[in-house]
Amino acid sequence: RRMWIRDRVKEFVRTTRRSADSLHTALKELDEEGCTARVALTHFSPVADTLAGEPPEIHPFLGSYLLAEAIDTAGADLAVHGHAHLGTEHGMTAGGVRVRNVAQPVIRRAFNVYRLGSA
């Protein structure tokens, strides 16, 4: 059983790394194409800020700092995610990219409007 759990955790980490690498590649390609506005859209949270309100023991299953690293190194104007239904709306990566949790229970409406380039 212990080996099964260890293998599952390793696969979870590999999947997270692949997701972060794919996000980094996509954001860099948009930059190389001259895209003037880049939004990182993910299912999982890139920052702990937007997980506030969720039970701490499940934070590793709701997001990863690897996504934030991809966003900060490749560049984005905004990061948007869902999944953390008990979290909070506003967060920021270490590199200063605004993060918004748009899970419907968090924003309490069907959608929200965010302006790029404004605080």
Side-chain angles (χ1 to χ4, degrees), residues 54-108:
E54 295 283 357
E57 60 271 14
I58 68 169
H59 282 196
F61 304 102
L62 298 175
S64 173
Y65 74 94
L66 296 172
L67 297 170
E69 286 180 355
I71 290 165
D72 284 341
T73 58
D77 299 291
L78 176 68
V80 178
H81 75 87
H83 192 62
H85 296 182
L86 300 177
T88 57
E89 183 178 2
H90 299 272
M92 188 171 290
T93 68
V97 176
R98 292 176 298 139
V99 178
R100 300 297 180 257
N101 176 357
V102 297
Q104 193 276 332
V106 172
I107 63 172
R108 298 186 177 145

Side-chain angles (χ1 to χ4, degrees), residues 27-82:
L27 290 169
K28 286 303 272 182
E29 287 174 357
L30 289 171
D31 184 47
E32 290 165 4
E33 292 294 321
C35 185
T36 58
R38 290 177 289 158
V39 176
L41 177 62
T42 62
H43 182 74
F44 297 101
S45 175
V47 295
D49 301 352
T50 57
L51 300 180
E54 295 283 357
E57 60 271 14
I58 68 169
H59 282 196
F61 304 102
L62 298 175
S64 173
Y65 74 94
L66 296 172
L67 297 170
E69 286 180 355
I71 290 165
D72 284 341
T73 58
D77 299 291
L78 176 68
V80 178
H81 75 87

